PDB file of all heavy atoms in Angstrom:
ATOM      1  N   TYR Z  26      94.294 133.576 107.383  1.00  0.00           N
ATOM      2  CA  TYR Z  26      95.633 132.982 107.498  1.00  0.00           C
ATOM      3  C   TYR Z  26      95.555 131.573 108.081  1.00  0.00           C
ATOM      4  O   TYR Z  26      96.248 130.662 107.627  1.00  0.00           O
ATOM      5  CB  TYR Z  26      96.545 133.849 108.373  1.00  0.00           C
ATOM      6  CG  TYR Z  26      97.324 134.877 107.600  1.00  0.00           C
ATOM      7  CD1 TYR Z  26      96.966 136.221 107.646  1.00  0.00           C
ATOM      8  CD2 TYR Z  26      98.431 134.528 106.834  1.00  0.00           C
ATOM      9  CE1 TYR Z  26      97.684 137.180 106.956  1.00  0.00           C
ATOM     10  CE2 TYR Z  26      99.154 135.467 106.136  1.00  0.00           C
ATOM     11  CZ  TYR Z  26      98.778 136.797 106.196  1.00  0.00           C
ATOM     12  OH  TYR Z  26      99.487 137.739 105.501  1.00  0.00           O
ATOM     13  N   THR Z  27      94.714 131.381 109.085  1.00  0.00           N
ATOM     14  CA  THR Z  27      94.563 130.058 109.695  1.00  0.00           C
ATOM     15  C   THR Z  27      94.027 129.048 108.678  1.00  0.00           C
ATOM     16  O   THR Z  27      94.571 127.953 108.529  1.00  0.00           O
ATOM     17  CB  THR Z  27      93.621 130.124 110.914  1.00  0.00           C
ATOM     18  OG1 THR Z  27      94.169 131.023 111.866  1.00  0.00           O
ATOM     19  CG2 THR Z  27      93.425 128.763 111.542  1.00  0.00           C
ATOM     20  N   GLY Z  28      92.964 129.416 107.986  1.00  0.00           N
ATOM     21  CA  GLY Z  28      92.368 128.507 107.008  1.00  0.00           C
ATOM     22  C   GLY Z  28      93.311 128.174 105.862  1.00  0.00           C
ATOM     23  O   GLY Z  28      93.417 127.017 105.448  1.00  0.00           O
ATOM     24  N   ILE Z  29      94.015 129.176 105.368  1.00  0.00           N
ATOM     25  CA  ILE Z  29      94.945 128.942 104.258  1.00  0.00           C
ATOM     26  C   ILE Z  29      96.112 128.078 104.717  1.00  0.00           C
ATOM     27  O   ILE Z  29      96.524 127.154 104.001  1.00  0.00           O
ATOM     28  CB  ILE Z  29      95.427 130.276 103.656  1.00  0.00           C
ATOM     29  CG1 ILE Z  29      94.278 130.937 102.891  1.00  0.00           C
ATOM     30  CG2 ILE Z  29      96.634 130.072 102.750  1.00  0.00           C
ATOM     31  CD1 ILE Z  29      94.573 132.348 102.417  1.00  0.00           C
ATOM     32  N   ALA Z  30      96.650 128.361 105.896  1.00  0.00           N
ATOM     33  CA  ALA Z  30      97.763 127.550 106.410  1.00  0.00           C
ATOM     34  C   ALA Z  30      97.336 126.095 106.549  1.00  0.00           C
ATOM     35  O   ALA Z  30      98.091 125.173 106.203  1.00  0.00           O
ATOM     36  CB  ALA Z  30      98.249 128.099 107.747  1.00  0.00           C
ATOM     37  N   TYR Z  31      96.124 125.875 107.025  1.00  0.00           N
ATOM     38  CA  TYR Z  31      95.618 124.512 107.163  1.00  0.00           C
ATOM     39  C   TYR Z  31      95.494 123.854 105.788  1.00  0.00           C
ATOM     40  O   TYR Z  31      95.973 122.745 105.575  1.00  0.00           O
ATOM     41  CB  TYR Z  31      94.256 124.503 107.872  1.00  0.00           C
ATOM     42  CG  TYR Z  31      93.819 123.121 108.254  1.00  0.00           C
ATOM     43  CD1 TYR Z  31      93.838 122.706 109.572  1.00  0.00           C
ATOM     44  CD2 TYR Z  31      93.404 122.196 107.300  1.00  0.00           C
ATOM     45  CE1 TYR Z  31      93.460 121.429 109.925  1.00  0.00           C
ATOM     46  CE2 TYR Z  31      93.026 120.919 107.640  1.00  0.00           C
ATOM     47  CZ  TYR Z  31      93.057 120.539 108.960  1.00  0.00           C
ATOM     48  OH  TYR Z  31      92.694 119.267 109.307  1.00  0.00           O
ATOM     49  N   LEU Z  32      94.848 124.533 104.862  1.00  0.00           N
ATOM     50  CA  LEU Z  32      94.579 123.952 103.555  1.00  0.00           C
ATOM     51  C   LEU Z  32      95.861 123.654 102.782  1.00  0.00           C
ATOM     52  O   LEU Z  32      95.992 122.573 102.183  1.00  0.00           O
ATOM     53  CB  LEU Z  32      93.663 124.880 102.745  1.00  0.00           C
ATOM     54  CG  LEU Z  32      92.965 124.271 101.547  1.00  0.00           C
ATOM     55  CD1 LEU Z  32      92.131 123.066 101.940  1.00  0.00           C
ATOM     56  CD2 LEU Z  32      92.088 125.318 100.880  1.00  0.00           C
ATOM     57  N   VAL Z  33      96.806 124.564 102.795  1.00  0.00           N
ATOM     58  CA  VAL Z  33      98.075 124.345 102.083  1.00  0.00           C
ATOM     59  C   VAL Z  33      98.830 123.167 102.697  1.00  0.00           C
ATOM     60  O   VAL Z  33      99.330 122.294 101.984  1.00  0.00           O
ATOM     61  CB  VAL Z  33      98.940 125.629 102.091  1.00  0.00           C
ATOM     62  CG1 VAL Z  33     100.356 125.353 101.627  1.00  0.00           C
ATOM     63  CG2 VAL Z  33      98.303 126.703 101.218  1.00  0.00           C
ATOM     64  N   THR Z  34      98.889 123.126 104.021  1.00  0.00           N
ATOM     65  CA  THR Z  34      99.574 122.024 104.695  1.00  0.00           C
ATOM     66  C   THR Z  34      98.901 120.698 104.384  1.00  0.00           C
ATOM     67  O   THR Z  34      99.572 119.713 104.041  1.00  0.00           O
ATOM     68  CB  THR Z  34      99.601 122.262 106.217  1.00  0.00           C
ATOM     69  OG1 THR Z  34     100.236 123.519 106.470  1.00  0.00           O
ATOM     70  CG2 THR Z  34     100.346 121.166 106.936  1.00  0.00           C
ATOM     71  N   ALA Z  35      97.583 120.658 104.467  1.00  0.00           N
ATOM     72  CA  ALA Z  35      96.841 119.426 104.186  1.00  0.00           C
ATOM     73  C   ALA Z  35      97.042 118.981 102.741  1.00  0.00           C
ATOM     74  O   ALA Z  35      97.191 117.783 102.463  1.00  0.00           O
ATOM     75  CB  ALA Z  35      95.361 119.622 104.482  1.00  0.00           C
ATOM     76  N   ALA Z  36      97.064 119.924 101.816  1.00  0.00           N
ATOM     77  CA  ALA Z  36      97.285 119.585 100.408  1.00  0.00           C
ATOM     78  C   ALA Z  36      98.669 118.966 100.220  1.00  0.00           C
ATOM     79  O   ALA Z  36      98.819 117.952  99.519  1.00  0.00           O
ATOM     80  CB  ALA Z  36      97.131 120.822  99.532  1.00  0.00           C
ATOM     81  N   LEU Z  37      99.677 119.565 100.833  1.00  0.00           N
ATOM     82  CA  LEU Z  37     101.034 119.030 100.712  1.00  0.00           C
ATOM     83  C   LEU Z  37     101.132 117.615 101.278  1.00  0.00           C
ATOM     84  O   LEU Z  37     101.863 116.771 100.746  1.00  0.00           O
ATOM     85  CB  LEU Z  37     102.039 119.950 101.411  1.00  0.00           C
ATOM     86  CG  LEU Z  37     102.276 121.295 100.738  1.00  0.00           C
ATOM     87  CD1 LEU Z  37     103.117 122.201 101.638  1.00  0.00           C
ATOM     88  CD2 LEU Z  37     102.946 121.115  99.379  1.00  0.00           C
ATOM     89  N   LEU Z  38     100.387 117.341 102.337  1.00  0.00           N
ATOM     90  CA  LEU Z  38     100.407 116.014 102.943  1.00  0.00           C
ATOM     91  C   LEU Z  38      99.645 114.978 102.118  1.00  0.00           C
ATOM     92  O   LEU Z  38      99.922 113.785 102.206  1.00  0.00           O
ATOM     93  CB  LEU Z  38      99.825 116.075 104.355  1.00  0.00           C
ATOM     94  CG  LEU Z  38     100.585 116.946 105.357  1.00  0.00           C
ATOM     95  CD1 LEU Z  38      99.812 117.035 106.668  1.00  0.00           C
ATOM     96  CD2 LEU Z  38     101.986 116.432 105.588  1.00  0.00           C
ATOM     97  N   THR Z  39      98.699 115.424 101.314  1.00  0.00           N
ATOM     98  CA  THR Z  39      97.861 114.517 100.525  1.00  0.00           C
ATOM     99  C   THR Z  39      98.443 114.236  99.139  1.00  0.00           C
ATOM    100  O   THR Z  39      98.220 113.158  98.583  1.00  0.00           O
ATOM    101  CB  THR Z  39      96.440 115.110 100.389  1.00  0.00           C
ATOM    102  OG1 THR Z  39      95.929 115.375 101.699  1.00  0.00           O
ATOM    103  CG2 THR Z  39      95.495 114.170  99.675  1.00  0.00           C
ATOM    104  N   ILE Z  40      99.196 115.171  98.592  1.00  0.00           N
ATOM    105  CA  ILE Z  40      99.727 115.058  97.232  1.00  0.00           C
ATOM    106  C   ILE Z  40     100.447 113.731  96.951  1.00  0.00           C
ATOM    107  O   ILE Z  40     100.257 113.158  95.876  1.00  0.00           O
ATOM    108  CB  ILE Z  40     100.615 116.274  96.886  1.00  0.00           C
ATOM    109  CG1 ILE Z  40      99.723 117.487  96.638  1.00  0.00           C
ATOM    110  CG2 ILE Z  40     101.510 116.005  95.687  1.00  0.00           C
ATOM    111  CD1 ILE Z  40     100.486 118.795  96.468  1.00  0.00           C
ATOM    112  N   PRO Z  41     101.254 113.201  97.871  1.00  0.00           N
ATOM    113  CA  PRO Z  41     101.932 111.937  97.544  1.00  0.00           C
ATOM    114  C   PRO Z  41     100.993 110.810  97.116  1.00  0.00           C
ATOM    115  O   PRO Z  41     101.356 109.985  96.273  1.00  0.00           O
ATOM    116  CB  PRO Z  41     102.664 111.580  98.846  1.00  0.00           C
ATOM    117  CG  PRO Z  41     102.918 112.898  99.485  1.00  0.00           C
ATOM    118  CD  PRO Z  41     101.698 113.731  99.163  1.00  0.00           C
ATOM    119  N   PHE Z  42      99.792 110.788  97.655  1.00  0.00           N
ATOM    120  CA  PHE Z  42      98.843 109.726  97.303  1.00  0.00           C
ATOM    121  C   PHE Z  42      98.302 109.896  95.885  1.00  0.00           C
ATOM    122  O   PHE Z  42      97.811 108.942  95.294  1.00  0.00           O
ATOM    123  CB  PHE Z  42      97.704 109.667  98.332  1.00  0.00           C
ATOM    124  CG  PHE Z  42      98.174 109.188  99.663  1.00  0.00           C
ATOM    125  CD1 PHE Z  42      98.621 110.083 100.623  1.00  0.00           C
ATOM    126  CD2 PHE Z  42      98.222 107.837  99.956  1.00  0.00           C
ATOM    127  CE1 PHE Z  42      99.090 109.652 101.854  1.00  0.00           C
ATOM    128  CE2 PHE Z  42      98.689 107.386 101.181  1.00  0.00           C
ATOM    129  CZ  PHE Z  42      99.128 108.297 102.126  1.00  0.00           C
ATOM    130  N   ALA Z  43      98.390 111.101  95.355  1.00  0.00           N
ATOM    131  CA  ALA Z  43      97.939 111.357  93.986  1.00  0.00           C
ATOM    132  C   ALA Z  43      99.003 110.998  92.956  1.00  0.00           C
ATOM    133  O   ALA Z  43      98.675 110.776  91.792  1.00  0.00           O
ATOM    134  CB  ALA Z  43      97.540 112.825  93.831  1.00  0.00           C
ATOM    135  N   ILE Z  44     100.261 110.926  93.386  1.00  0.00           N
ATOM    136  CA  ILE Z  44     101.324 110.666  92.406  1.00  0.00           C
ATOM    137  C   ILE Z  44     102.072 109.352  92.628  1.00  0.00           C
ATOM    138  O   ILE Z  44     102.837 108.932  91.770  1.00  0.00           O
ATOM    139  CB  ILE Z  44     102.336 111.835  92.364  1.00  0.00           C
ATOM    140  CG1 ILE Z  44     102.953 112.101  93.719  1.00  0.00           C
ATOM    141  CG2 ILE Z  44     101.660 113.094  91.845  1.00  0.00           C
ATOM    142  CD1 ILE Z  44     104.002 113.192  93.740  1.00  0.00           C
ATOM    143  N   ILE Z  45     101.824 108.708  93.762  1.00  0.00           N
ATOM    144  CA  ILE Z  45     102.505 107.444  94.074  1.00  0.00           C
ATOM    145  C   ILE Z  45     101.445 106.376  94.280  1.00  0.00           C
ATOM    146  O   ILE Z  45     100.544 106.534  95.108  1.00  0.00           O
ATOM    147  CB  ILE Z  45     103.385 107.596  95.333  1.00  0.00           C
ATOM    148  CG1 ILE Z  45     104.463 108.663  95.100  1.00  0.00           C
ATOM    149  CG2 ILE Z  45     104.011 106.264  95.716  1.00  0.00           C
ATOM    150  CD1 ILE Z  45     105.218 109.073  96.342  1.00  0.00           C
ATOM    151  N   SER Z  46     101.553 105.278  93.545  1.00  0.00           N
ATOM    152  CA  SER Z  46     100.502 104.255  93.601  1.00  0.00           C
ATOM    153  C   SER Z  46     100.589 103.354  94.834  1.00  0.00           C
ATOM    154  O   SER Z  46      99.595 102.782  95.245  1.00  0.00           O
ATOM    155  CB  SER Z  46     100.517 103.404  92.332  1.00  0.00           C
ATOM    156  OG  SER Z  46     101.771 102.752  92.204  1.00  0.00           O
ATOM    157  N   ASN Z  47     101.744 103.219  95.435  1.00  0.00           N
ATOM    158  CA  ASN Z  47     101.887 102.408  96.640  1.00  0.00           C
ATOM    159  C   ASN Z  47     101.557 103.270  97.851  1.00  0.00           C
ATOM    160  O   ASN Z  47     102.286 104.206  98.183  1.00  0.00           O
ATOM    161  CB  ASN Z  47     103.315 101.864  96.732  1.00  0.00           C
ATOM    162  CG  ASN Z  47     103.522 100.981  97.943  1.00  0.00           C
ATOM    163  OD1 ASN Z  47     103.137 101.321  99.053  1.00  0.00           O
ATOM    164  ND2 ASN Z  47     104.140  99.841  97.709  1.00  0.00           N
ATOM    165  N   ARG Z  48     100.462 102.952  98.544  1.00  0.00           N
ATOM    166  CA  ARG Z  48     100.002 103.813  99.636  1.00  0.00           C
ATOM    167  C   ARG Z  48     100.985 103.879 100.792  1.00  0.00           C
ATOM    168  O   ARG Z  48     101.065 104.889 101.481  1.00  0.00           O
ATOM    169  CB  ARG Z  48      98.612 103.408 100.099  1.00  0.00           C
ATOM    170  CG  ARG Z  48      98.520 102.128 100.873  1.00  0.00           C
ATOM    171  CD  ARG Z  48      97.055 101.813 101.201  1.00  0.00           C
ATOM    172  NE  ARG Z  48      96.902 100.759 102.161  1.00  0.00           N
ATOM    173  CZ  ARG Z  48      96.820  99.479 101.871  1.00  0.00           C
ATOM    174  NH1 ARG Z  48      96.874  99.081 100.609  1.00  0.00           N
ATOM    175  NH2 ARG Z  48      96.665  98.569 102.820  1.00  0.00           N
ATOM    176  N   PHE Z  49     101.767 102.847 101.017  1.00  0.00           N
ATOM    177  CA  PHE Z  49     102.718 102.866 102.118  1.00  0.00           C
ATOM    178  C   PHE Z  49     103.944 103.714 101.772  1.00  0.00           C
ATOM    179  O   PHE Z  49     104.481 104.410 102.635  1.00  0.00           O
ATOM    180  CB  PHE Z  49     103.101 101.448 102.525  1.00  0.00           C
ATOM    181  CG  PHE Z  49     101.912 100.669 103.015  1.00  0.00           C
ATOM    182  CD1 PHE Z  49     101.426  99.591 102.302  1.00  0.00           C
ATOM    183  CD2 PHE Z  49     101.253 101.042 104.183  1.00  0.00           C
ATOM    184  CE1 PHE Z  49     100.319  98.888 102.744  1.00  0.00           C
ATOM    185  CE2 PHE Z  49     100.138 100.355 104.633  1.00  0.00           C
ATOM    186  CZ  PHE Z  49      99.675  99.277 103.911  1.00  0.00           C
ATOM    187  N   PHE Z  50     104.367 103.679 100.526  1.00  0.00           N
ATOM    188  CA  PHE Z  50     105.451 104.563 100.089  1.00  0.00           C
ATOM    189  C   PHE Z  50     104.975 106.013 100.119  1.00  0.00           C
ATOM    190  O   PHE Z  50     105.703 106.906 100.561  1.00  0.00           O
ATOM    191  CB  PHE Z  50     105.945 104.168  98.688  1.00  0.00           C
ATOM    192  CG  PHE Z  50     107.156 104.928  98.249  1.00  0.00           C
ATOM    193  CD1 PHE Z  50     108.368 104.796  98.912  1.00  0.00           C
ATOM    194  CD2 PHE Z  50     107.074 105.800  97.181  1.00  0.00           C
ATOM    195  CE1 PHE Z  50     109.482 105.512  98.502  1.00  0.00           C
ATOM    196  CE2 PHE Z  50     108.181 106.527  96.768  1.00  0.00           C
ATOM    197  CZ  PHE Z  50     109.393 106.376  97.430  1.00  0.00           C
ATOM    198  N   ALA Z  51     103.734 106.236  99.655  1.00  0.00           N
ATOM    199  CA  ALA Z  51     103.149 107.589  99.698  1.00  0.00           C
ATOM    200  C   ALA Z  51     103.069 108.083 101.143  1.00  0.00           C
ATOM    201  O   ALA Z  51     103.334 109.254 101.417  1.00  0.00           O
ATOM    202  CB  ALA Z  51     101.770 107.591  99.054  1.00  0.00           C
ATOM    203  N   LEU Z  52     102.732 107.192 102.048  1.00  0.00           N
ATOM    204  CA  LEU Z  52     102.669 107.560 103.463  1.00  0.00           C
ATOM    205  C   LEU Z  52     104.053 107.965 103.982  1.00  0.00           C
ATOM    206  O   LEU Z  52     104.190 108.934 104.724  1.00  0.00           O
ATOM    207  CB  LEU Z  52     102.108 106.399 104.281  1.00  0.00           C
ATOM    208  CG  LEU Z  52     101.841 106.657 105.755  1.00  0.00           C
ATOM    209  CD1 LEU Z  52     100.856 107.798 105.950  1.00  0.00           C
ATOM    210  CD2 LEU Z  52     101.326 105.392 106.414  1.00  0.00           C
ATOM    211  N   GLY Z  53     105.073 107.237 103.577  1.00  0.00           N
ATOM    212  CA  GLY Z  53     106.440 107.590 103.950  1.00  0.00           C
ATOM    213  C   GLY Z  53     106.824 108.971 103.438  1.00  0.00           C
ATOM    214  O   GLY Z  53     107.429 109.773 104.160  1.00  0.00           O
ATOM    215  N   ILE Z  54     106.450 109.275 102.199  1.00  0.00           N
ATOM    216  CA  ILE Z  54     106.718 110.598 101.617  1.00  0.00           C
ATOM    217  C   ILE Z  54     105.931 111.671 102.374  1.00  0.00           C
ATOM    218  O   ILE Z  54     106.432 112.768 102.620  1.00  0.00           O
ATOM    219  CB  ILE Z  54     106.393 110.623 100.110  1.00  0.00           C
ATOM    220  CG1 ILE Z  54     107.269 109.608  99.357  1.00  0.00           C
ATOM    221  CG2 ILE Z  54     106.551 112.023  99.540  1.00  0.00           C
ATOM    222  CD1 ILE Z  54     108.756 109.859  99.472  1.00  0.00           C
ATOM    223  N   THR Z  55     104.712 111.342 102.773  1.00  0.00           N
ATOM    224  CA  THR Z  55     103.901 112.271 103.563  1.00  0.00           C
ATOM    225  C   THR Z  55     104.605 112.612 104.875  1.00  0.00           C
ATOM    226  O   THR Z  55     104.625 113.770 105.297  1.00  0.00           O
ATOM    227  CB  THR Z  55     102.499 111.689 103.829  1.00  0.00           C
ATOM    228  OG1 THR Z  55     101.810 111.583 102.579  1.00  0.00           O
ATOM    229  CG2 THR Z  55     101.692 112.553 104.769  1.00  0.00           C
ATOM    230  N   PHE Z  56     105.195 111.609 105.514  1.00  0.00           N
ATOM    231  CA  PHE Z  56     105.932 111.867 106.751  1.00  0.00           C
ATOM    232  C   PHE Z  56     107.146 112.759 106.498  1.00  0.00           C
ATOM    233  O   PHE Z  56     107.434 113.659 107.294  1.00  0.00           O
ATOM    234  CB  PHE Z  56     106.367 110.563 107.421  1.00  0.00           C
ATOM    235  CG  PHE Z  56     105.298 109.952 108.267  1.00  0.00           C
ATOM    236  CD1 PHE Z  56     104.867 108.664 108.020  1.00  0.00           C
ATOM    237  CD2 PHE Z  56     104.717 110.652 109.309  1.00  0.00           C
ATOM    238  CE1 PHE Z  56     103.873 108.094 108.796  1.00  0.00           C
ATOM    239  CE2 PHE Z  56     103.726 110.091 110.095  1.00  0.00           C
ATOM    240  CZ  PHE Z  56     103.307 108.809 109.830  1.00  0.00           C
ATOM    241  N   VAL Z  57     107.855 112.515 105.400  1.00  0.00           N
ATOM    242  CA  VAL Z  57     109.007 113.353 105.069  1.00  0.00           C
ATOM    243  C   VAL Z  57     108.550 114.796 104.848  1.00  0.00           C
ATOM    244  O   VAL Z  57     109.164 115.747 105.359  1.00  0.00           O
ATOM    245  CB  VAL Z  57     109.754 112.810 103.833  1.00  0.00           C
ATOM    246  CG1 VAL Z  57     110.785 113.802 103.315  1.00  0.00           C
ATOM    247  CG2 VAL Z  57     110.412 111.469 104.146  1.00  0.00           C
ATOM    248  N   ILE Z  58     107.459 114.964 104.113  1.00  0.00           N
ATOM    249  CA  ILE Z  58     106.923 116.304 103.873  1.00  0.00           C
ATOM    250  C   ILE Z  58     106.520 116.954 105.197  1.00  0.00           C
ATOM    251  O   ILE Z  58     106.782 118.134 105.430  1.00  0.00           O
ATOM    252  CB  ILE Z  58     105.732 116.249 102.885  1.00  0.00           C
ATOM    253  CG1 ILE Z  58     106.234 115.889 101.487  1.00  0.00           C
ATOM    254  CG2 ILE Z  58     104.966 117.571 102.868  1.00  0.00           C
ATOM    255  CD1 ILE Z  58     105.138 115.563 100.495  1.00  0.00           C
ATOM    256  N   SER Z  59     105.905 116.189 106.068  1.00  0.00           N
ATOM    257  CA  SER Z  59     105.491 116.699 107.371  1.00  0.00           C
ATOM    258  C   SER Z  59     106.696 117.202 108.169  1.00  0.00           C
ATOM    259  O   SER Z  59     106.670 118.299 108.726  1.00  0.00           O
ATOM    260  CB  SER Z  59     104.758 115.597 108.145  1.00  0.00           C
ATOM    261  OG  SER Z  59     104.353 116.043 109.402  1.00  0.00           O
ATOM    262  N   VAL Z  60     107.756 116.415 108.205  1.00  0.00           N
ATOM    263  CA  VAL Z  60     108.964 116.824 108.930  1.00  0.00           C
ATOM    264  C   VAL Z  60     109.572 118.069 108.295  1.00  0.00           C
ATOM    265  O   VAL Z  60     110.002 118.986 109.000  1.00  0.00           O
ATOM    266  CB  VAL Z  60     109.983 115.663 108.991  1.00  0.00           C
ATOM    267  CG1 VAL Z  60     111.325 116.141 109.540  1.00  0.00           C
ATOM    268  CG2 VAL Z  60     109.445 114.518 109.828  1.00  0.00           C
ATOM    269  N   LEU Z  61     109.583 118.128 106.962  1.00  0.00           N
ATOM    270  CA  LEU Z  61     110.123 119.305 106.280  1.00  0.00           C
ATOM    271  C   LEU Z  61     109.295 120.556 106.562  1.00  0.00           C
ATOM    272  O   LEU Z  61     109.851 121.642 106.742  1.00  0.00           O
ATOM    273  CB  LEU Z  61     110.214 119.054 104.774  1.00  0.00           C
ATOM    274  CG  LEU Z  61     111.280 118.053 104.336  1.00  0.00           C
ATOM    275  CD1 LEU Z  61     111.156 117.755 102.833  1.00  0.00           C
ATOM    276  CD2 LEU Z  61     112.677 118.536 104.688  1.00  0.00           C
ATOM    277  N   ILE Z  62     107.980 120.413 106.609  1.00  0.00           N
ATOM    278  CA  ILE Z  62     107.109 121.550 106.940  1.00  0.00           C
ATOM    279  C   ILE Z  62     107.399 122.019 108.373  1.00  0.00           C
ATOM    280  O   ILE Z  62     107.543 123.214 108.628  1.00  0.00           O
ATOM    281  CB  ILE Z  62     105.620 121.181 106.776  1.00  0.00           C
ATOM    282  CG1 ILE Z  62     105.274 121.000 105.302  1.00  0.00           C
ATOM    283  CG2 ILE Z  62     104.719 122.250 107.408  1.00  0.00           C
ATOM    284  CD1 ILE Z  62     103.904 120.382 105.061  1.00  0.00           C
ATOM    285  N   ILE Z  63     107.461 121.075 109.296  1.00  0.00           N
ATOM    286  CA  ILE Z  63     107.735 121.422 110.692  1.00  0.00           C
ATOM    287  C   ILE Z  63     109.104 122.096 110.804  1.00  0.00           C
ATOM    288  O   ILE Z  63     109.245 123.120 111.477  1.00  0.00           O
ATOM    289  CB  ILE Z  63     107.661 120.162 111.587  1.00  0.00           C
ATOM    290  CG1 ILE Z  63     106.224 119.635 111.623  1.00  0.00           C
ATOM    291  CG2 ILE Z  63     108.160 120.461 112.998  1.00  0.00           C
ATOM    292  CD1 ILE Z  63     106.097 118.248 112.227  1.00  0.00           C
ATOM    293  N   PHE Z  64     110.095 121.520 110.134  1.00  0.00           N
ATOM    294  CA  PHE Z  64     111.446 122.097 110.166  1.00  0.00           C
ATOM    295  C   PHE Z  64     111.444 123.506 109.577  1.00  0.00           C
ATOM    296  O   PHE Z  64     111.938 124.444 110.203  1.00  0.00           O
ATOM    297  CB  PHE Z  64     112.422 121.204 109.384  1.00  0.00           C
ATOM    298  CG  PHE Z  64     113.822 121.724 109.384  1.00  0.00           C
ATOM    299  CD1 PHE Z  64     114.701 121.361 110.391  1.00  0.00           C
ATOM    300  CD2 PHE Z  64     114.273 122.570 108.379  1.00  0.00           C
ATOM    301  CE1 PHE Z  64     116.003 121.848 110.400  1.00  0.00           C
ATOM    302  CE2 PHE Z  64     115.561 123.064 108.377  1.00  0.00           C
ATOM    303  CZ  PHE Z  64     116.434 122.696 109.397  1.00  0.00           C
TER     304      PHE Z  64
END
C-alpha cells in the first residue's frame, strides 16, 4: 500500500510535464494536482 500510494501520487504529479510543453505551466498544474490530492 505504501509503495503503490507513493507511485500513483508521483505519477499524477509528473503527468503534466508529459502533456504540457511549458515547464512552468506544467509546474502550476502539478501544484493544483498536489492540492487536489491533499484535499
Side-chain angles (χ1 to χ4, degrees):
Y26 269 105
T27 300
I29 289 172
Y31 190 107
L32 197 57
V33 168
T34 303
L37 290 171
L38 297 174
T39 305
I40 286 172
F42 291 91
I44 57 177
I45 299 169
S46 60
N47 182 313
R48 72 183 192 271
F49 298 113
F50 187 65
L52 186 59
I54 299 300
T55 294
F56 277 123
V57 169
I58 290 170
S59 180
V60 171
L61 290 173
I62 290 169
I63 294 168
F64 181 89

